[in-house]
């Protein structure tokens, strides 16, 4: 940075920044890091965002007063940046040589303002009513400009005359404009032309909510207030979003499933064709042309592996995976922010031990802890929003696919599939996927949180953490055995449930005969017998779940107890002071959630795998030939 700022402008001065009661950042740091940070963010976020806008065109928005004002302010910002640049060139001609940073920063910020102008108009052409990318950019710009804002006020206060009046004036123009842009970005544009929102009598406000409203779920406030005042009725509910309706999600899944079926049939045809065209061994051909005889083909087919089945899981991932991955990105960001607070707590405790430390350190650390917790909460709820919506779409699409399949399967398939099984597939098995998606990210998030927690615990307590790791490792085989046994019980339970619903369906269909011969008691005993077997399996599953819950709920306590005990006893010099104790306990509290959730996620995955196989087998049944149906109109006049 010395080349950019020169020897007269140091990049960092500790006595001026940290070890003083009136901190201030050096001018070189302000002109470089604070000025470039929002620009770097916007240039990095722009390519994927433009790609997203190209793929998702929501319509055309007419240029409004709000859009014109934002555009004019952005243009004035660009002029202000170039004014700084031309002022530097003018000073250079006058013989006042400035460091290169005075040329580079106005150029970089000016080009970034042009990019922001382009995004404002491009979003309007693509139907974006509120831009999260630009809101974050203006927010970062304001946050980074607060420090120079304060610095220039202090300079004007303590100096008799302002030395650089041009940059002093242009900066305050710049600061006022970016604050205005931030305020304007909080408001929404009008809906795109020919939008479904205009024709919907009761549209869901989520589709038109701005970035801030979406992040804070403010769009739901009106419904909460209405429900608080009066009981909600069906007419009070908003219309379902178009993207969440069965009209959209069911065909999306069916298209991916048809692709998987086509791949499976193609692979099966190729393997069969290869068998028929395979020449016989030398000297064993007993017919003309060297082709395999029917007996040889039958032997080869008997040795052939089972035909490849279409993967229903792959269809689900292709149909709904990209949307779910957005929630996964939020979860990853939230996991990383989770470990910021323990480090800030460590700094705060060490600050209390320092007698000569400036007071603003404590306020700054307390504010950072609050901001980290606030940001973590916002991001976590966005993650859950994406997971819940994905689960709802999965359940809707699976029910629609099963219902469609039940109408077109052949008579042979109907003989192997009962009505009770179809009902269970649409009610129980589809619900398994909705329950799983809520915490599916914990499958990778829990190990990540455990690894990071143990890493920071190792830094805090040293090798004593290995004792806690040993406790967790000892619990893994127990959890694996419980998961295997739970899967077996799940299969057995679904078999009993299918048999019970099948029997109930037969009873209801033949209720007249049953009443005529007074067979109520005998059939009641049959139903109760099946139900008792089902309850026995459920009881065993509950015992296993309780055992798993007890083991993993007590795991964080056992890990903390073991670690602290080993840390204190292994060396007399190891003292469990306030800093080590509180920081370690905060890390153990973070460790508690993934350790509690991991067995539940494994149990849900086991149950969903059983449901996945059942649904895949049902959707793989043969279908009626559409060409065999006579569609001629037989009505007579």
């Amino acid at each position: 940075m010395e080349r950019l700022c020169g020897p007269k402008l140091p990049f960092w001065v500790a006595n001026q920044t940290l070890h003083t009661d009136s901190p201030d950042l050096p001018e070189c740091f302000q002109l470089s890091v604070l000025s470039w940070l929002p620009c770097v963010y916007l240039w990095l976020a722009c390519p994927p965002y433009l790609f997203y806008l190209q793929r998702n065109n929501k319509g055309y928005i007419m240029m409004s007063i709000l859009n014109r004002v934002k555009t004019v302010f952005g243009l004035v910002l660009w002029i202000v940046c170039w004014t700084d640049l031309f002022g530097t060139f003018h000073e250079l001609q006058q013989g006042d040589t400035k460091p290169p940073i005075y040329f580079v920063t106005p150029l970089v910020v000016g080009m970034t303002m042009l990019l922001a102008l382009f995004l404002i108009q491009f979003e309007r052409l693509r139907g974006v009513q509120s831009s999260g990318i630009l809101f974050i950019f203006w927010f970062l710009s304001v946050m980074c400009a607060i420090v120079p804002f304060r610095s220039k006020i202090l300079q004007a206060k303590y100096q008799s005359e302002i030395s650089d009046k041009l940059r002093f004036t242009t900066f305050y123009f710049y600061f006022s404009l970016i604050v205005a842009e931030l305020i304007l970005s909080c408001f929404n544009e009008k809906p795109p032309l020919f939008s479904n929102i205009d024709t919907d009598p009761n549209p869901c406000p989520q589709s038109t909510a701005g970035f801030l409203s979406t992040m804070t779920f403010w769009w739901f406030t009106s419904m909460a207030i209405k429900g608080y005042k009066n009981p909600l009725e069906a007419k009070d509910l908003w219309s379902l979003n178009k993207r969440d309706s069965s009209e959209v999600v069911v065909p999306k899944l069916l298209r991916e499933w048809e692709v998987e079926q086509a791949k499976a049939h193609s692979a099966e045809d190729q393997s069969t064709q290869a068998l028929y065209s395979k020449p016989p061994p030398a000297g064993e051909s007993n017919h003309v042309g060297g082709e395999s005889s029917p007996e040889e083909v039958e032997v080869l087919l008997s040795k052939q592996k089972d035909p490849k089945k279409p993967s229903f899981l792959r269809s689900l991932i292709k149909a709904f995976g990209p949307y779910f991955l957005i929630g996964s990105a939020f979860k990853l960001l939230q996991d990383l922010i989770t470990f910021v607070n323990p480090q800030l707590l460590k700094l705060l405790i060490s600050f209390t031990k320092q007698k000569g430390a400036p007071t603003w350190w404590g306020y700054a650390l307390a504010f950072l802890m609050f901001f980290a917790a606030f940001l973590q909460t916002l991001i976590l709820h966005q993650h859950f929003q994406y997971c819940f919506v994905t689960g709802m779409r999965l359940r809707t699409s699976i029910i629609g696919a099963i219902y469609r399949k039940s109408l077109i399967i052949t008579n042979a398939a109907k003989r192997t599939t009962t009505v009770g099984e179809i009902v269970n597939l649409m009610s129980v098995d589809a619900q398994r996927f909705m329950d799983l998606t809520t915490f599916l990210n914990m499958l990778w998030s829990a190990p990540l949180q455990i690894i990071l927690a143990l890493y920071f615990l190792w830094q805090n307590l040293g090798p004593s953490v290995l004792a806690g790791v040993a406790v967790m490792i000892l619990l893994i085989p127990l959890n694996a055995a419980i998961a295997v046994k739970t899967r077996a019980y799940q299969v057995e339970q679904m078999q009993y449930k299918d048999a019970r619903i099948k029997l109930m369906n037969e009873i209801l269909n033949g209720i007249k005969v049953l009443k005529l011969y007074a067979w109520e008691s005998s059939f009641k005993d049959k139903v109760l017998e099946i139900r008792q077997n089902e309850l026995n399996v459920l009881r065993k599953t509950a015992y296993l779940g309780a055992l798993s819950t007890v083991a993993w709920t007590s795991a964080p306590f056992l890990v903390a107890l073991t670690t602290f005990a080993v840390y204190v006893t292994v060396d007399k010099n190891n003292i469990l002071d306030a800093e080590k104790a509180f920081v370690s306990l905060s890390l153990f509290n973070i460790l508690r959630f993934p350790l509690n959730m991991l067995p539940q996620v494994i149990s849900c995955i086991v149950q969903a795998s059983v449901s996945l196989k059942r649904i895949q087998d049902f959707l793989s049944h043969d279908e009626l030939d559409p060409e065999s149906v006579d569609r001629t109109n037989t009505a007579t006049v």
Side-chain angles (χ1 to χ4, degrees):
M1 297 301 294
E2 188 176 350
R3 286 186 177 182
L4 284 174
C5 299
K8 295 182 179 180
L9 295 177
F11 179 74
W12 184 261
V13 181
N15 292 330
Q16 178 186 350
T17 306
L18 294 178
H19 308 294
T20 177
D21 291 329
S22 180
D24 194 13
L25 290 171
E27 188 176 359
C28 178
F29 190 90
Q30 297 178 15
L31 290 173
S32 56
V33 176
L34 295 183
S35 299
W36 297 350
L37 182 62
C39 304
V40 171
Y41 156 76
L42 190 62
W43 284 100
L44 290 178
C46 193
Y49 185 55
L50 290 177
F51 177 75
Y52 168 78
L53 292 179
Q54 287 282 9
R55 299 286 298 271
N56 297 271
N57 188 0
K58 298 178 181 179
Y60 175 84
I61 298 178
M62 294 289 292
M63 183 172 283
S64 60
I65 297 177
L66 177 64
N67 187 270
R68 290 174 182 174
V69 173
K70 289 194 290 187
T71 304
V72 170
F73 282 179
L75 187 61
V76 176
L77 276 169
W78 175 72
I79 294 173
V80 168
C81 296
W82 285 97
T83 303
D84 274 353
L85 183 62
F86 291 143
T88 308
F89 277 113
H90 178 71
E91 291 172 347
L92 184 63
Q93 290 178 351
Q94 298 295 327
D96 185 8
T97 305
K98 292 287 185 181
I101 192 70
Y102 285 94
F103 296 92
V104 175
T105 296
L107 182 63
V108 171
V109 177
M111 296 299 294
T112 307
M113 293 306 162
L114 279 182
L115 178 62
L117 270 174
F118 168 75
L119 282 179
I120 290 172
Q121 293 303 319
F122 191 71
E123 287 176 339
R124 180 181 65 83
L125 297 175
R126 292 289 166 176
V128 178
Q129 295 180 255
S130 178
S131 174
I133 296 292
L134 285 178
F135 178 86
I136 297 174
F137 169 69
W138 298 123
F139 178 77
L140 285 176
S141 299
V142 171
M143 289 294 103
C144 292
I146 288 176
V147 176
F149 180 83
R150 177 180 175 272
S151 298
K152 293 186 182 300
I153 289 178
L154 292 177
Q155 289 176 9
K157 180 179 178 181
Y158 293 113
Q159 293 179 3
S160 58
E161 185 179 356
I162 299 173
S163 57
D164 195 347
K165 295 182 180 180
L166 174 65
R167 292 184 181 84
F168 186 87
T169 305
T170 55
F171 172 78
Y172 279 101
F173 270 113
Y174 169 82
F175 186 79
S176 303
L177 289 170
I178 59 175
V179 170
E181 288 280 17
L182 177 63
I183 295 172
L184 292 175
S185 63
C186 297
F187 297 96
N188 283 10
E189 295 283 352
K190 294 180 179 179
L193 295 177
F194 310 110
S195 174
N196 295 328
I197 301 169
D198 295 333
T199 59
D200 197 331
N202 191 18
C204 178
Q206 182 188 8
S207 55
T208 57
F211 176 74
L212 278 179
S213 179
T214 302
M215 291 299 294
T216 58
F217 297 96
W218 186 256
W219 56 269
F220 187 75
T221 306
S222 60
M223 180 66 71
I225 294 174
K226 184 182 292 186
Y228 173 76
K229 292 180 177 178
N230 298 301
L232 292 176
E233 300 177 3
K235 61 182 179 63
D236 297 326
L237 300 179
W238 300 310
S239 301
L240 188 66
N241 287 327
K242 182 74 173 178
R243 59 182 179 271
D244 298 329
S245 63
S246 57
E247 179 184 358
V248 175
V249 297
V250 175
K252 182 187 293 187
L253 177 61
L254 290 177
R255 283 194 298 268
E256 299 297 340
W257 176 242
E258 288 171 0
V259 171
E260 289 298 318
Q261 285 182 312
K263 288 181 181 179
H265 291 322
S266 176
E268 186 178 351
D269 293 342
Q270 290 178 1
S271 61
T272 305
Q273 185 178 2
L275 282 173
Y276 275 99
S277 61
K278 182 179 179 180
E284 293 186 9
S285 177
N286 55 358
H287 50 281
V288 181
E291 295 182 355
S292 301
S293 64
E295 293 80 4
E296 292 172 341
V297 172
E298 184 177 355
V299 172
L300 290 173
L301 286 173
S302 64
K303 296 180 180 180
Q304 185 186 6
K305 296 181 179 179
D306 293 334
K308 180 183 177 182
K309 293 183 179 180
S311 174
F312 186 65
L313 177 61
R314 194 178 293 117
S315 303
L316 292 175
I317 293 174
K318 289 181 179 178
F320 307 106
Y323 186 83
F324 183 75
L325 284 177
I326 301 176
S328 302
F330 277 113
K331 181 60 178 171
L332 176 61
L333 188 58
Q334 186 264 337
D335 288 346
L336 297 178
I337 297 175
T338 302
F339 292 93
V340 173
N341 263 340
Q343 305 308 313
L344 293 175
L345 178 63
K346 184 177 182 179
L347 294 175
L348 186 62
I349 295 174
S350 62
F351 159 75
T352 59
K353 298 178 181 179
Q354 300 178 19
K355 296 181 179 180
T359 309
W360 66 269
W361 283 15
Y363 290 110
L365 290 172
F367 173 76
L368 287 176
M369 291 180 69
F370 167 76
F371 182 75
F374 174 75
L375 189 62
Q376 178 187 346
T377 303
L378 283 182
I379 295 173
L380 180 62
H381 284 84
Q382 288 299 317
H383 156 254
F384 279 123
Q385 168 72 6
Y386 278 92
C387 290
F388 281 130
V389 172
T390 304
M392 178 189 66
R393 292 178 181 178
L394 276 174
R395 184 174 179 272
T396 303
S397 60
I398 291 172
I399 291 175
I402 293 171
Y403 183 75
R404 174 189 172 277
K405 186 72 175 184
S406 64
L407 299 177
I408 59 175
I409 58 176
T410 61
N411 290 330
K414 287 181 179 179
R415 286 194 293 269
T416 60
T417 305
T418 63
V419 176
E421 183 179 351
I422 296 175
V423 171
N424 278 334
L425 288 174
M426 289 194 289
S427 59
V428 179
D429 294 301
Q431 184 66 33
R432 300 283 188 203
F433 287 91
M434 187 172 181
D435 297 337
L436 176 63
T437 51
T438 306
F439 296 105
L440 182 59
N441 282 317
M442 290 302 298
L443 192 63
W444 59 265
S445 174
L448 175 65
Q449 291 184 54
I450 292 171
I451 291 172
L452 288 177
L454 292 177
Y455 170 76
F456 289 117
L457 282 169
W458 181 284
Q459 287 188 332
N460 201 34
L461 299 176
S464 304
V465 180
L466 295 177
V469 176
V471 174
M472 288 189 293
I473 292 176
L474 290 176
L475 292 174
I476 291 176
L478 174 64
N479 190 66
I482 291 174
V484 172
K485 202 65 179 175
T486 302
R487 177 184 172 85
Y489 286 151
Q490 175 70 14
V491 175
E492 187 179 356
Q493 177 200 345
M494 295 307 296
Q495 291 174 351
Y496 285 132
K497 185 173 289 188
D498 292 342
R500 178 169 56 84
I501 295 181
K502 176 184 177 183
L503 181 58
M504 288 300 301
N505 185 60
E506 292 175 354
I507 291 173
L508 294 175
N509 289 334
I511 192 67
K512 290 183 179 179
V513 178
L514 189 143
K515 287 288 186 180
L516 181 63
Y517 289 97
W519 287 342
E520 295 94 333
S521 300
S522 58
F523 274 92
K524 176 185 175 182
D525 294 339
K526 286 181 175 292
V527 173
L528 289 177
E529 180 183 356
I530 298 175
R531 180 58 181 165
Q532 188 59 44
N533 293 332
E534 188 179 350
L535 288 174
N536 291 335
V537 176
L538 286 172
R539 189 178 294 109
K540 294 176 183 177
T541 306
Y543 288 153
L544 286 177
L547 179 61
S548 177
T549 303
V550 168
W552 288 96
T553 303
S554 59
F557 169 74
L558 293 176
V559 169
L561 179 64
T562 308
T563 304
F564 284 151
V566 172
Y567 176 76
V568 174
T569 57
V570 74
D571 191 352
K572 294 181 179 180
N573 296 324
N574 290 342
I575 300 174
L576 196 63
D577 55 0
E579 180 180 337
K580 292 185 181 298
F582 283 109
V583 174
S584 300
L585 284 175
S586 66
L587 291 170
F588 282 129
N589 286 332
I590 294 174
L591 200 61
R592 183 186 301 274
F593 181 73
L595 287 177
N596 289 339
M597 288 304 304
L598 193 57
Q600 298 182 32
V601 173
I602 295 174
S603 177
C604 288
I605 290 176
V606 169
Q607 295 176 5
S609 64
V610 176
S611 299
L612 177 68
K613 186 177 183 305
R614 287 162 52 84
I615 294 172
Q616 182 173 296
D617 292 341
F618 176 75
L619 294 179
S620 300
H621 285 324
D622 295 332
E623 300 179 2
L624 294 172
D625 186 3
E627 302 300 327
S628 301
V629 180
D630 186 10
R631 293 183 174 83
T632 56
N633 189 4
T634 57
T636 57
V637 180

